[in-house]
Amino acid sequence: MEAIIQSVNGFRLTMPEIIAYPIILSFFVILWCRYKWNRRHFDKLASSLKGPPAYPIIGSALQFIGTPQKLMDSILKIIKDYSPGPFKIWLGPYLGIVIIKPEDVQIVLNSSKALQKDRFYKFIKNIFGEGLLTAPVDKWRIHRRLITPSFNSSLLSEFFPVFHEKNKILIKNLKSELNKTQSFDLWDYIAPTTLSLICQNAMGYNLDNQSQCGSEFEKAMISIRIGFLRVVKPWLYPNIMFSLYLKLKGDSNVFNNLYKLPLKMIREKKEAFEQKKIENESTVIIDDTNKEKKHSKVFLDTLFELNEAGANFSDDDFRDEVVTMMIGGSETSAITLCFCLLLLAIYPDIQDKVYDEICDVLGDGDQKITIVDSYKLVYLDQVLMETLRLFPVLPILLRELQDDVKIVSDNIVLPKGSTCYICPLATHRNSLSYPNPNSFDPENFAPENIAKRHKYSFLGFSGGPRGCIGSKYAMLSMKVLVSTFLRNFSVHTDYTFDDIKLKLDLLLRSANGYPVTIRTRTRKSMKK
Ligand code: HEM
């Protein structure tokens, strides 16, 4: 039968069209209503919270578009406008609630319903796979329990010979910059050192920093930071768009390059492990007095042994845990150390005070630092903590809530399925906890001042069950490096505190590097 043609407002429609269009429209209206109904608790909470402007589909993403420095500026502005929260942020269609007050943070970080890393971590899964940092909760529970003993406090002293050896190389390399008037970037020396430290201490692998592999890994790390910027570029969310983007930038091989060194280490260490097993000498060494003594295994050997005992790590599991340790254990410390030394260069009085303490504990000679000495360097400890307060390497942590979580502020219930943004940067710069939050003042971490504050007002290493597994190792290794550095050189800069501009590309960094000059240390401790 011939279709009936009708004229509707000047448009000519066939009868099937007249029937189909309202059906299609109703279908979308129903879908939309269902979507809104399912998310009514998000919308209800969102309507009661302040937050930056948001638009359908993209949310507040427009605020964050631009360079890593612009991204950081936007974050700082939002924190300033909405602190101390809680406040909302829509990223794409996803509701996030930013919490800043220590009492709220304590609840979320310790809640069993907030252990899951947020969906946005999937973008860094390209890098870390399912290592501890990014692993889903079930896998994380098993791996965390197995891996924790490798960084147990009782083993920390065993890392010292490697600390000494690698710092000796650092000092030798730094001598090429001695007494120059032109500043250099601390990063170029510190980053290879921390990478080399973690490779040897966790993987038992002696990395020659000048080797092709080491520098290739570091280069891949630089390209990989762009992976993180996907979070604020919704058009790169689909994998196909991201692959295309990498191709256009000539970076399509970046992940293969990143994995080259970890895979090489695993292969070689596994061969050595198998060999030792055959010789049945895997855990026994003979000491000077010819007595047999247990030699603690490095982290990677522990993984091999656990696997033998039935832990069932796949090849990907090995790779992911090793990459996580390499990046989590080196970049974080390198950034903190660079900021710390730059701050000491900006504040020579504080540098002198740190140096005096080092001389008190270690003397003016070249006696090697021990673990007991490092515990006595309490002012240096304060300086490092204050550095992490001002420049927390991970300025924002994201948790996807697997159930409702009630926080203290206004008795708000954070709904299941929403994202909780914990913001160390904002918590650390809150004047309720720190009287002059934007100044460098190591006295903030004097014991009497720590006692006045909430425990969760410092989040440099996060907290709760998913807090940093390597915090004690990190503090010790940083203390050894800074004290060795300052025993050899004084550090100087033209920078002022306000010259430090920040950027965020996976981690928080100085946008213009860490420019300093160094001189042979002439001043001996004033206390002598
Ligand atoms: C100054 C140095 C360091 C800082 C500031 C730091 C900071 C952090 C923070 C804030 C987290 C929590 C991340 C999150 O919740 O998303 C974390 C987790 C982690 N860190 Fe560190 N870290 C440092 C050094 C290290 C070192 C030396 C290692 C290895 C030896 C390490 C290994 C890890 C691992 C494996 C995780 C994941 C823990 C888990 O989810 O169970 N970190 N770190």
Side-chain angles (χ1 to χ4, degrees):
M1 196 177 84
E2 200 182 313
I4 299 168
I5 311 282
Q6 293 216 351
S7 176
V8 180
N9 284 342
F11 289 103
R12 294 178 72 80
L13 298 175
T14 62
M15 185 53 89
E17 282 174 330
I18 289 172
I19 297 168
Y21 285 158
I23 292 176
I24 293 170
L25 190 67
S26 315
F27 177 71
F28 281 112
V29 170
I30 290 168
L31 273 188
W32 173 249
C33 291
R34 217 186 107 146
Y35 174 76
K36 291 300 278 179
W37 176 253
N38 287 341
R39 297 167 57 88
R40 65 195 181 286
H41 44 299
F42 293 163
D43 292 335
K44 189 169 167 231
L45 175 61
S47 65
S48 69
L49 293 174
K50 290 186 184 157
Y55 305 96
I57 303 174
I58 56 169
S60 298
L62 286 179
Q63 305 256 339
F64 303 110
I65 291 173
T67 60
Q69 192 175 340
K70 162 97 183 14
L71 169 63
M72 202 57 229
D73 289 346
S74 308
I75 292 173
L76 285 168
K77 181 169 181 316
I78 290 174
I79 289 174
K80 194 163 161 249
D81 290 349
Y82 299 102
S83 225
F87 61 91
K88 68 181 168 196
I89 289 213
W90 290 96
L91 260 194
Y94 306 114
L95 174 64
I97 300 110
V98 184
I99 56 167
I100 294 172
K101 291 181 193 150
E103 49 276 31
D104 292 337
V105 174
Q106 179 172 25
I107 291 174
V108 173
L109 284 182
N110 288 289
S111 167
S112 58
K113 300 157 192 166
L115 289 171
Q116 180 72 38
K117 298 293 173 79
D118 179 73
R119 56 179 70 80
F120 288 113
Y121 279 68
K122 81 168 184 239
F123 298 138
I124 56 169
K125 272 197 180 174
N126 278 336
I127 309 167
F128 298 102
E130 292 195 345
L132 270 191
L133 183 71
T134 39
V137 178
D138 291 346
K139 187 171 190 174
W140 166 79
R141 266 188 225 286
I142 301 168
H143 284 207
R144 175 93 189 198
R145 189 171 40 79
L146 295 173
I147 292 173
T148 297
S150 297
F151 295 96
N152 193 303
S153 306
S154 63
L155 300 178
L156 293 172
S157 63
E158 304 202 5
F159 297 126
F160 271 68
V162 176
F163 289 162
H164 295 145
E165 185 199 322
K166 300 296 176 190
N167 278 299
K168 203 167 149 196
I169 298 172
L170 169 70
I171 299 302
K172 187 170 143 255
N173 291 342
L174 276 168
K175 283 189 176 150
S176 63
E177 301 290 350
L178 249 186
N179 302 326
K180 285 188 184 164
T181 46
Q182 179 83 27
S183 61
F184 66 95
D185 192 343
L186 278 165
W187 181 259
D188 297 339
Y189 293 87
I190 304 285
T193 305
T194 54
L195 179 63
S196 177
L197 279 168
I198 198 73
C199 285
Q200 178 98 51
N201 272 333
M203 268 65 80
Y205 191 89
N206 192 1
L207 181 68
D208 169 9
N209 282 320
Q210 309 312 318
S211 79
Q212 183 75 18
C213 280
S215 50
E216 213 168 57
F217 182 83
E218 283 164 32
K219 258 191 244 148
M221 266 309 300
I222 294 170
S223 317
I224 242 135
R225 295 176 199 157
I226 53 169
F228 162 80
L229 293 175
R230 260 176 110 181
V231 174
V232 288
K233 295 181 177 168
W235 54 95
L236 292 182
Y237 285 6
N239 285 339
I240 186 158
M241 293 298 288
F242 186 57
S243 305
L244 196 69
Y245 172 77
L246 287 179
K247 212 170 218 151
L248 290 173
K249 281 190 64 99
D251 272 335
S252 29
N253 239 343
V254 70
F255 295 108
N256 289 342
N257 290 343
L258 183 81
Y259 292 144
K260 252 187 213 168
L261 176 60
L263 291 176
K264 183 171 185 278
M265 281 198 294
I266 295 169
R267 205 172 42 246
E268 289 181 20
K269 295 308 292 178
K270 191 162 193 177
E271 279 165 17
F273 178 80
E274 295 295 338
Q275 186 61 33
K276 267 192 195 166
K277 216 173 63 184
I278 293 166
E279 293 164 10
N280 201 17
E281 289 175 6
S282 59
T283 58
V284 177
I285 62 163
I286 311 292
D287 76 7
D288 289 341
T289 55
N290 231 8
K291 271 192 258 154
E292 286 192 341
K293 110 175 174 189
K294 275 257 175 191
H295 175 67
S296 302
K297 296 162 286 279
V298 295
F299 155 79
L300 187 52
D301 282 339
T302 309
L303 290 193
F304 291 138
E305 283 194 4
L306 288 167
N307 220 28
E308 295 279 306
N312 263 337
F313 287 111
S314 67
D315 287 352
D316 282 355
D317 287 340
F318 274 108
R319 185 201 61 195
D320 295 346
E321 294 301 357
V322 168
V323 171
T324 299
M325 283 302 159
M326 284 174 73
I327 301 174
S330 68
E331 290 257 308
T332 47
S333 303
I335 293 170
T336 310
L337 284 161
C338 288
F339 271 125
C340 176
L341 289 166
L342 181 61
L343 286 165
L344 291 178
I346 294 172
Y347 297 97
D349 291 354
I350 297 178
Q351 184 180 161
D352 285 348
K353 204 169 161 188
V354 175
Y355 181 68
D356 286 345
E357 181 185 67
I358 294 167
C359 290
D360 275 355
V361 174
L362 295 166
D364 282 344
D366 49 11
Q367 171 200 328
K368 279 184 183 160
I369 182 170
T370 64
I371 189 161
V372 177
D373 296 330
S374 69
Y375 291 139
K376 292 183 193 155
L377 295 173
V378 286
Y379 188 65
L380 176 53
D381 203 275
Q382 288 176 219
V383 167
L384 286 164
M385 300 290 270
E386 176 68 352
T387 305
L388 274 168
R389 179 186 74 79
L390 284 167
F391 306 113
V393 185
L394 284 157
I396 303 173
L397 313 168
L398 281 65
R399 296 285 191 276
E400 188 179 315
L401 303 182
Q402 293 176 307
D403 210 335
D404 293 353
V405 175
K406 190 171 173 188
I407 55 173
V408 177
S409 295
D410 302 328
N411 280 328
I412 289 174
V413 176
L414 308 178
K416 176 181 176 181
S418 62
T419 296
C420 183
Y421 292 72
I422 296 145
C423 190
L425 187 69
T427 304
H428 290 177
R429 294 195 184 206
N430 183 351
S431 56
L432 294 174
S433 301
Y434 299 94
N436 294 305
N438 295 311
S439 326
F440 178 58
D441 181 7
E443 289 311 315
N444 279 322
F445 289 89
E448 63 277 15
N449 291 329
I450 292 178
K452 285 184 213 153
R453 282 193 305 267
H454 193 287
K455 193 174 163 216
Y456 281 74
S457 55
F458 177 75
L459 301 167
F461 293 105
S462 182
R466 278 205 101 152
C468 180
I469 202 172
S471 58
K472 290 201 175 76
Y473 170 92
M475 284 306 285
L476 279 186
S477 74
M478 292 193 296
K479 276 173 150 183
V480 175
L481 192 145
V482 175
S483 59
T484 312
F485 189 110
L486 292 184
R487 284 171 97 189
N488 284 275
F489 313 115
S490 57
V491 58
H492 309 267
T493 188
D494 293 337
Y495 256 42
T496 65
F497 187 82
D498 293 334
D499 290 332
I500 301 177
K501 302 289 172 233
L502 300 177
K503 67 175 181 182
L504 180 61
D505 56 6
L506 187 61
L507 300 172
L508 178 81
R509 299 166 203 271
S510 158
N512 302 313
Y514 313 85
V516 298
T517 55
I518 50 171
R519 294 180 210 145
T520 311
R521 189 164 276 288
T522 48
R523 193 183 74 78
K524 296 293 174 196
S525 171
M526 300 296 279
K527 289 191 175 170
K528 298 258 150 157

